[in-house]
């Protein structure tokens, strides 16, 4: 209930309401992009300042190792389940979205911890970056394998053309549309502007330490809550606009989008307990594991896995999982982490 009374969360709820009643309220795209860049820059600075105080100890290695582990576990589990209910290309794409992370969910969780005076490690911002790309890599490898299997199943003298087949040399035999190469996909993933800004801000925050923190306090501290509320208003409007993309989808997929976050968070909590992570760091690991990407991964998968249906991996992550994590997940994950790990 405390999370629902947070002004930033209330602005998110208000945005959903405004969008649901078809209000003409909107945030101009340029401003929305600025808010996104601001939050990433402020998050990176906060992480860097925290790291400059704590240093690089065993706790940092444990946290990053746990994040990397979850980055592989979540998409592989998702694919194993989803391939029995949808096409394997769709399964790979949806699993990749859920194996990656939502920066907005993470930023909101970080603010929730600060409001409740729970000190987390600055390295968890780097953990978010680490968890972004492995799921994309897995999706691309799975898609390439599926294409190879499909090509091997086509009789000699027939080439795949788009979604069907044509006789070699015959009408319409223009060959398959070649997807992005694995190298290009990985380059786009690792050089994505959002990730580079976050990492760059972390390095700057770490290098400048307490002096930099004092100078940047009005920017990365005082303004942060208001900027987050403004951005969550825009996210609420976007969620409302994407409700229609979830309608008509398989009940199994909708159930996956609703239940999977709690399953992934439970696995993350068990791993955190096994590794002896602190409760705030474990809460952030749970949030990262439970979130789903609706920006970076869909943008890459649209070209890397063109066989998949974008309305599935975008609509489910934004229309179902994102609001569940914002309204229920973050306080629940934090409460469980504190109860289990103290």
């Amino acid at each position: 209930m405390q999370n629902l009374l947070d002004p930033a969360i209330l602005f998110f709820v208000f945005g959903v309401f405004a969008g649901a009643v078809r209000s003409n309220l909107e945030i101009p795209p340029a401003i929305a992009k600025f808010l996104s860049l601001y939050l990433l820059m402020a998050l990176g600075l906060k992480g860097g300042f925290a790291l400059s105080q704590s240093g690089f100890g065993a706790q940092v290695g444990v946290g990053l190792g746990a994040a990397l582990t979850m980055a592989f576990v979540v998409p592989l589990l998702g694919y194993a389940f989803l391939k029995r209910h949808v096409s394997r290309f769709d399964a790979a794409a949806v699993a990749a979205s859920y194996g990656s992370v939502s920066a907005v969910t993470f930023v909101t969780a970080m603010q929730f911890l600060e409001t409740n005076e729970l000190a987390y490690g600055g390295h968890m911002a780097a953990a978010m970056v680490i968890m972004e790309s492995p799921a994309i890599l897995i999706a691309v490898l799975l898609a390439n394998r599926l294409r190879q299997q499909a090509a091997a199943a086509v009789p000699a003298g027939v080439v795949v053309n788009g979604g069907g087949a044509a006789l070699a040399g015959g009408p319409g035999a223009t060959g398959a549309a070649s997807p992005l190469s694995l190298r290009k996909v990985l380059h786009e993933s690792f050089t994505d502007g959002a990730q580079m800004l976050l990492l760059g801000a972390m390095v700057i925050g770490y290098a400048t330490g307490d002096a930099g923190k004092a100078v940047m306090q009005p920017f990365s501290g005082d303004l942060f809550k208001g900027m987050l509320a403004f951005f969550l208003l825009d996210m609420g409007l976007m969620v409302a606009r994407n409700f229609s993309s979830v309608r008509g989808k398989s009940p199994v997929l909708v159930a996956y989008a609703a239940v999977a976050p709690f399953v992934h968070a439970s696995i993350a909590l068990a791993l955190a307990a096994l590794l002896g992570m602190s409760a705030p760091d474990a809460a952030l690991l749970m949030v990262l594991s439970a979130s789903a990407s609706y920006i970076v991964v869909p943008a890459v998968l649209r070209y890397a896995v063109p066989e998949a249906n974008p309305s599935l991996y975008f609509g489910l992550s934004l229309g179902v999982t994102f609001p569940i994590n914002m309204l229920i997940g973050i306080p629940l994950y934090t409460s469980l982490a504190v109860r289990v790990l103290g």
Side-chain angles (χ1 to χ4, degrees):
M1 181 61 67
Q2 180 181 359
N3 192 46
L4 293 176
L5 296 179
D6 184 281
I9 298 299
L10 288 176
F11 269 107
F12 170 75
V13 174
F14 172 68
V16 174
F17 171 77
V21 299
R22 299 183 180 180
S23 167
N24 62 355
L25 174 64
E26 65 175 349
I27 308 299
I31 294 180
K33 183 174 182 180
F34 164 75
L35 291 171
S36 175
L37 293 175
Y38 164 81
L39 291 175
L40 288 169
M41 186 173 177
L43 172 61
L45 286 171
K46 286 172 176 281
F49 295 146
L51 269 178
S52 70
Q53 294 179 340
S54 63
F56 291 89
Q59 183 181 7
V60 174
V62 168
L64 297 183
L68 187 61
T69 300
M70 292 303 301
F72 283 95
V73 168
V74 171
L76 290 175
L77 283 178
Y79 180 73
F81 172 78
L82 291 167
K83 69 180 182 180
R84 294 177 290 177
H85 302 282
V86 294
S87 77
R88 300 205 169 200
F89 284 109
D90 284 335
V94 173
S97 294
Y98 281 81
S100 191
V101 296
S102 163
V104 179
T105 307
F106 180 80
V107 170
T108 307
M110 180 192 70
Q111 182 63 40
F112 180 80
L113 291 178
E114 291 181 358
T115 300
N116 288 276
E117 299 182 348
L118 295 171
Y120 55 87
H123 62 281
M124 293 306 294
M128 185 187 78
V129 176
I130 287 176
M131 294 182 71
E132 186 82 67
S133 299
I136 298 175
L137 173 61
I138 290 172
V140 172
L141 292 175
L142 287 172
N144 286 342
R145 181 184 176 188
L146 291 172
R147 294 186 192 106
Q148 292 171 358
Q149 291 175 346
V154 174
V158 177
V159 294
V160 176
N161 180 23
L167 291 177
T174 57
S178 57
L180 292 181
S181 67
L182 179 60
R183 178 180 178 182
K184 185 172 179 59
V185 169
L186 292 178
H187 178 268
E188 290 188 2
S189 300
F190 287 111
T191 61
D192 176 72
Q195 294 198 52
M196 293 198 72
L197 176 61
L198 178 62
L199 287 175
M202 281 192 66
V203 172
I204 292 171
Y206 178 77
T208 56
D210 290 338
K213 182 177 182 180
V215 171
M216 297 299 291
Q217 176 61 27
F219 176 82
S220 60
D222 298 340
L223 287 176
F224 188 85
K225 188 74 172 183
M227 291 291 197
L228 177 60
F230 204 179
F231 188 70
L232 288 180
L233 169 63
D234 184 51
M235 291 305 305
L237 291 169
M238 188 180 298
V239 166
R241 296 189 193 106
N242 282 275
F243 278 149
S244 60
S245 65
V246 181
R247 294 172 187 163
K249 296 295 184 288
S250 166
V252 174
L253 289 177
V254 177
Y256 173 82
V259 175
F262 301 105
V263 175
H264 300 159
S266 299
I267 297 173
L269 178 59
L271 179 61
L274 180 65
L275 297 176
M277 294 176 63
S278 68
D281 286 359
L284 289 180
L285 180 66
M286 293 170 73
V287 168
L288 289 171
S289 302
S291 66
S293 174
Y294 52 84
I295 298 177
V296 176
V297 172
V300 175
L301 292 183
R302 180 179 177 184
Y303 299 100
V305 191
E307 300 90 342
N309 181 0
S311 69
L312 283 181
Y313 52 81
F314 181 78
L316 292 174
S317 60
L318 184 59
V320 179
T321 302
F322 180 75
I324 285 177
N325 277 328
M326 296 296 293
L327 300 177
I328 302 173
I330 291 174
L332 176 62
Y333 307 148
T334 303
S335 174
L336 289 175
V338 171
R339 183 173 300 179
V340 172
L341 300 175

